[in-house]
Amino acid sequence: MKMQDAENFDFFDEKLAEIEDPELLDALSELSAESQLAIYMRFWENRSISEIARRLQVSWERADRILTTALLDLRRQIQRPLHDVLKGFAA
């Protein structure tokens, strides 16, 4: 990860505490900080891949790969359709 300041990810711990769905919380906690941030930005903040790439200081392609891999990991862990789980977070 190119981000030098790990504190950029600390705020996500507070957001995780707001999640009431234990299955989603467990699945998110298994992701890397970089993947958690990508999921947060996409579904909580409704950010574009380009915005995620800028925040993570990676290429657009790498940000897309991070998000895609994170979503695949979540799908493997959550027994319900992921769309149903995350739809309440989209702005």
Side-chain angles (χ1 to χ4, degrees), residues 40-91:
Y40 173 79
M41 290 182 70
R42 187 71 174 144
F43 293 97
W44 275 264
E45 296 183 340
N46 200 28
R47 302 291 181 154
S48 69
I49 301 295
S50 295
E51 291 171 310
I52 294 168
R54 278 194 296 276
R55 175 71 187 272
L56 295 177
Q57 299 175 3
V58 297
S59 68
W60 185 96
E61 292 82 4
R62 176 73 180 128
D64 184 57
R65 205 170 317 119
I66 290 166
L67 187 58
T68 299
T69 302
L71 288 171
L72 288 172
D73 290 344
L74 289 176
R75 282 189 185 110
R76 281 189 214 110
Q77 294 181 54
I78 296 176
Q79 300 303 311
R80 296 173 283 148
L82 194 54
H83 177 268
D84 292 345
V85 176
L86 294 175
K87 68 181 177 185
F89 298 111

Side-chain angles (χ1 to χ4, degrees), residues 20-37:
E20 296 177 7
D21 184 328
E23 190 176 25
L24 176 59
L25 184 59
D26 288 343
L28 285 169
S29 69
E30 294 294 321
L31 299 177
S32 69
E34 188 176 52
S35 295
Q36 288 177 1
L37 181 58

